Amino acid sequence: MAVERHPSTSRTGDPGWEVRTATEAEIPDASRVFTTAINIPMEELLGVERDHPVDDPDRILVALDGDRVVGTANSHRFALSVPGGPRPAAGVTGVGVWPTHRRRGVLTAIMRHQLADVRARGENLAILWASEGGIYGRHGYGRAAHQHTVAVRRAHAALRPDAPRDPGLTVELAAPADVLPELDRLHRAALTRRPGGFPREGHWWGVRLWMLSRPRPDTSDLRVALVRGPDGALLGSALHRVTTQDGEDGLPAGKVTVHEPIALTPAARTALYEYLFATDLTVETVVVGLPDDDPLPALLADPAQAVRRTTGALWLRLVDVPAALAERSYAHPVDTVIEVADRHAPWNAGRWHLKTDGADTRVEATDTAPDLTVDVSHLGAAHLGRGPLTTRVDAGTAVEHTPGAAARLDTALYTPRAPLCDTGF
């Protein structure tokens, strides 16, 4: 293997990288930079792109060292569910820097170029999944939605006696591909109930099912449990797989792994979990990707037996602060001046007068003294309603100039259900 040599630079040095849209010939090089940066086989990414192509190559950016691609980033246009309805958002993905060019300003150059590009497209928000949260926090993203995995041992999986049960409901088992139109309608209905998600347009159902169906040792094909009402209407679903294994005593000790439990009624949720928890030859059910306020623990007869751990977070950035604040709805009226710091998107930096009666909202530049000073990443974390700014003030990373300003803004931003994004990208 040839030894690659590169000039020594300081950690903060920026030799002025050229960043632009990738040409068709450069896209394979961009893919190789990305897969090398995150340590996955190139063949895996090429397989996904071949079987589930996404038609937005004009959004792929590259950073160049001479004529060589040394950094890349991509994004997709989504209709993100936010308070007040779906809004255009850039789903940032495919971000990577060639290992020999790390910490030389390549990522910063790409992020800044991408922000300007996304803004020019009329997308006031950007979202991403972060492999390392500290990276994107420095570029103005804030953790806006958490996901949790809850594990329940079969011995402790009894639901409360007063959990709602409807004898008119039935549970069916199917292959997801066979009922995809129904699953899509159910998924779209669930999107209206909490912020943070987006419809799976185009190839996104295929990508999602591919991700959940990848071969695993001793694991079943992907299945879906369907809960139907007396009229046959689909009221709930849960994608899941079963892993077979033996315990120390040689008896079956398999595990059910559940993704995307969706229920439109409390009784449908009870029916789903009572079916999943009773899977033969298993001793544990693990439910992946639940929001902060998911009702599963409250349904268990002994909630303390549910083992919960945080497994991921969706990061959100306000690409255009005044436009993003103006296009969402608010739970309560608020009249406040916010001073925003944003070193990567200078059009956001400054003081903004936010005034809303809860529905009609205006956000305008102002010279008035601020009530609150925050970093743009703090607003990103709070945008979906569950990233309190009072916590930032208590931590000393935001400054409250008017007593109670953070609490009043938190109250206005609040959403009754915690956000959830159930689609990786």
Side-chain angles (χ1 to χ4, degrees):
M1 179 180 293
V3 176
E4 184 172 8
R5 304 186 185 279
H6 57 86
S8 175
T9 61
S10 69
R11 186 178 181 89
T12 58
D14 182 356
W17 307 104
E18 178 189 359
V19 179
R20 57 168 170 76
T21 301
T23 66
E24 184 176 354
E26 290 168 336
I27 291 177
D29 293 333
S31 297
R32 187 165 301 281
V33 168
F34 171 60
T35 56
T36 301
I38 66 170
N39 304 315
I40 66 170
M42 179 74 165
E43 291 72 18
E44 181 173 334
L45 178 64
L46 292 177
V48 178
E49 293 176 343
R50 180 186 63 249
D51 297 336
H52 309 289
V54 180
D55 299 325
D56 46 11
D58 65 314
R59 301 179 72 116
I60 300 174
L61 302 177
V62 290
L64 301 174
D65 186 357
D67 59 358
R68 180 184 173 195
V69 176
V70 296
T72 186
N74 191 9
S75 68
H76 307 292
R77 183 179 176 91
F78 295 136
L80 184 70
S81 176
V82 303
R87 298 290 184 266
V92 176
T93 187
V95 180
V97 174
W98 193 252
T100 59
H101 285 65
R102 293 181 303 161
R103 299 177 179 86
R104 297 172 60 189
V106 177
L107 180 61
T108 295
I110 293 173
M111 290 285 98
R112 289 177 175 173
H113 187 101
Q114 186 180 60
L115 286 171
D117 179 67
V118 167
R119 184 184 183 222
R121 294 172 184 269
E123 297 157 3
N124 301 320
L125 302 171
I127 54 175
L128 57 79
W129 297 99
S131 54
E132 294 185 34
I135 295 175
Y136 296 100
R138 295 196 301 268
H139 292 90
Y141 287 82
R143 287 179 293 182
H146 296 88
Q147 287 192 358
H148 307 276
T149 293
V150 175
V152 183
R153 301 289 292 180
R154 187 166 181 172
H156 304 292
L159 301 189
R160 292 172 55 94
D162 59 351
R165 295 171 174 85
D166 182 350
L169 300 182
T170 58
V171 180
E172 300 174 4
L173 192 63
D178 293 341
V179 291
L180 196 54
E182 285 191 291
L183 292 181
D184 185 59
R185 287 193 293 271
L186 184 68
H187 185 259
R188 288 174 184 270
L191 288 176
T192 65
R193 298 188 167 207
R194 62 173 76 237
F198 54 86
R200 292 173 182 162
E201 306 282 3
H203 301 280
W204 285 102
W205 265 107
V207 172
R208 179 59 172 165
L209 295 181
W210 176 87
M211 291 176 66
L212 298 180
S213 302
R214 283 178 287 185
R216 300 185 186 280
D218 303 317
T219 300
S220 72
D221 292 336
L222 185 66
R223 311 166 177 174
V224 61
L226 307 171
V227 178
R228 297 190 184 278
D231 60 354
L234 187 61
L235 300 178
S237 70
L239 298 165
H240 61 287
R241 301 175 76 177
V242 180
T243 302
T244 59
Q245 58 190 57
D246 293 333
E248 294 180 357
D249 54 8
L251 296 176
K255 178 178 71 174
V256 184
T257 302
V258 181
H259 297 268
E260 300 181 23
I262 297 175
L264 299 185
T265 68
R269 181 176 292 104
T270 298
L272 270 180
Y273 282 124
E274 289 193 324
Y275 170 79
L276 295 165
F277 290 160
T279 303
D280 289 339
L281 308 181
T282 66
V283 298
E284 184 180 46
T285 300
V286 178
V287 190
V288 180
L290 296 179
D292 284 332
D293 59 351
D294 190 84
L296 173 56
L299 273 176
L300 294 170
D302 185 358
Q305 297 297 331
V307 178
R308 174 170 136 158
R309 60 187 178 90
T310 302
T311 52
L314 183 77
W315 293 65
L316 185 147
R317 194 196 204 284
L318 274 59
V319 176
D320 189 314
V321 165
L325 291 177
E327 71 181 6
R328 63 156 286 167
S329 63
Y330 293 81
H332 293 278
V334 69
D335 187 345
T336 190
V337 175
I338 310 167
E339 185 171 44
V340 179
D342 191 341
R343 66 191 184 95
H344 296 296
W347 55 85
N348 286 330
R351 297 175 183 176
W352 302 100
H353 181 199
L354 165 63
K355 184 176 182 179
T356 179
D357 58 8
D360 183 35
T361 301
R362 298 187 67 178
V363 183
E364 298 175 331
T366 182
D367 293 327
T368 304
D371 299 303
L372 187 66
T373 297
V374 299
D375 185 76
V376 69
S377 63
H378 301 155
L379 292 178
H383 198 69
L384 298 182
R386 289 298 186 96
L389 295 166
T390 50
T391 301
R392 315 293 178 178
V393 172
D394 291 344
T397 58
V399 179
E400 189 176 63
H401 307 284
T402 302
R408 286 188 289 274
L409 185 52
D410 282 337
T411 300
L413 292 167
Y414 181 78
T415 52
R417 288 191 174 94
L420 173 69
C421 184
D422 58 6
T423 305
F425 53 89

